[in-house]
Amino acid sequence: MQATTPSMPMHPPMVDKSGQRIQRMFGSIAPVYDLLNHLLSLNIDRRWRNQTVKLVPPGSDGPILDLCTGTGDLALAYSRASQGRVPIVGADFCGPMLDRACRKSQRKHVVGISYTQADAMHLPFPDNAFQIVCVAFGLRNIADTDRGLAEIVRVTRPGGRVAVLEFSKPQGSLLSGCYQAYFKYVLPLIGQLISRSKDQAYSYLPQSVMSFPEGEALLKRMQQHGLQQTFYKPFTFGIASLYVGVKP
């Protein structure tokens, strides 16, 4: 049975995560989203997605949901891993990002992925529908994280897995200091110069990451929504982490 908890504020009020702002912001940076992802992560973001698929591999039965799919990179990684034999749904509520995902899939001649526009807090899918529900760098962008987690668990089938790939903060004073300097100052500057985002999307990025729970705190959130056998795996000195849980 799914556990529920009262919705609790998780983010400082200065981080505006209203649906209108997030939708507008990601829509405006859609044309340069992939370029900046790969540039600002030194292309390591591709490896993180591949590691996610290896640690939470697709089974042969039942579809997979890639929530907050953006331009579809994680959906495409799961498609490659399953050799196109498992149906995959990529869902996002930002139309311009989905347009990019569709064109990317067509360009790569990928079949078996369908894309749909959907609000992560009100998913248009039945209960117990997916063998895996994954979300890469999107959970922290949902206005009500608890509501998003509740929906993720609802549409995951019993015995199915939830995989959340998110930015985190590396440990160790020297590494942490260098990372925070890059993340707070260099990354927003480069991102703004290239994207020209009116919503300061690449200033929002470090703000949202720094205010979001990580490690055991995020695992506890997942457990409060009924997930079991939870664990997390840091990637690249803890710059990103994968959080996994199983729906009983």
Side-chain angles (χ1 to χ4, degrees):
M1 179 179 296
Q2 177 179 328
T4 58
T5 56
S7 183
M8 298 171 58
M10 296 179 59
H11 312 289
M14 72 283 295
V15 182
D16 179 5
K17 298 193 178 188
S18 63
Q20 184 179 32
R21 192 248 175 137
I22 296 296
Q23 197 170 44
R24 183 181 65 241
M25 180 174 67
F26 280 97
S28 71
I29 64 172
V32 295
Y33 182 78
D34 284 340
L35 169 66
L36 282 169
N37 270 359
H38 304 325
L39 174 65
L40 294 173
S41 73
L42 303 178
N43 223 27
I44 299 173
D45 64 304
R46 296 180 191 269
R47 184 186 306 168
W48 294 336
R49 290 182 178 88
N50 289 334
Q51 288 177 298
T52 296
V53 172
K54 288 180 181 178
L55 286 169
V56 188
S60 58
D61 52 341
I64 294 171
L65 173 62
D66 179 26
L67 187 59
C68 305
T69 192
T71 60
D73 280 344
L74 188 54
L76 287 163
Y78 267 106
S79 178
R80 289 192 299 271
S82 66
Q83 298 181 334
R85 290 193 286 263
V86 174
I88 297 168
V89 178
D92 203 292
F93 83 152
C94 180
M97 298 289 272
L98 286 173
D99 289 342
R100 294 269 163 179
C102 289
R103 289 202 293 271
K104 188 187 296 184
S105 293
Q106 291 168 358
R107 188 171 66 249
K108 294 177 179 291
H109 306 290
V110 174
V111 296
I113 303 179
S114 60
Y115 293 101
T116 185
Q117 191 162 4
D119 184 340
M121 296 187 294
H122 305 279
L123 292 174
F125 308 116
D127 296 356
N128 308 320
F130 298 98
Q131 61 159 302
I132 295 171
V133 178
C134 55
V135 52
F137 310 113
L139 184 62
R140 64 187 158 78
N141 297 324
I142 299 173
D144 186 333
T145 309
D146 280 311
R147 182 65 178 267
L149 280 170
E151 280 292 271
I152 287 170
V153 174
R154 178 183 69 79
V155 301
T156 304
R157 73 183 187 191
R161 292 159 294 167
V162 172
V164 176
L165 177 61
E166 258 304 348
F167 288 112
S168 49
K169 298 180 280 293
Q171 303 301 310
S173 57
L174 179 59
L175 181 59
S176 178
C178 292
Y179 169 77
Q180 291 198 37
Y182 171 76
F183 208 50
K184 289 182 179 179
Y185 304 111
V186 179
L187 183 150
L189 177 62
I190 297 172
Q192 185 62 29
L193 285 172
I194 295 175
S195 70
R196 304 291 181 182
S197 170
K198 293 180 180 179
D199 289 286
Q200 301 292 316
Y202 290 90
S203 293
Y204 163 85
L205 173 58
Q207 292 170 6
S208 64
V209 171
M210 295 300 173
S211 67
F212 197 69
E214 61 176 326
E216 294 295 335
L218 185 51
L219 283 188
K220 184 176 180 180
R221 289 276 173 171
M222 295 169 68
Q223 293 160 4
Q224 288 172 338
H225 286 276
L227 294 174
Q228 299 178 355
Q229 302 176 44
T230 56
F231 70 90
Y232 74 97
K233 171 74 172 176
F235 296 153
T236 317
F237 307 108
I239 293 174
S241 295
L242 175 65
Y243 301 83
V244 180
V246 177
K247 180 175 177 177

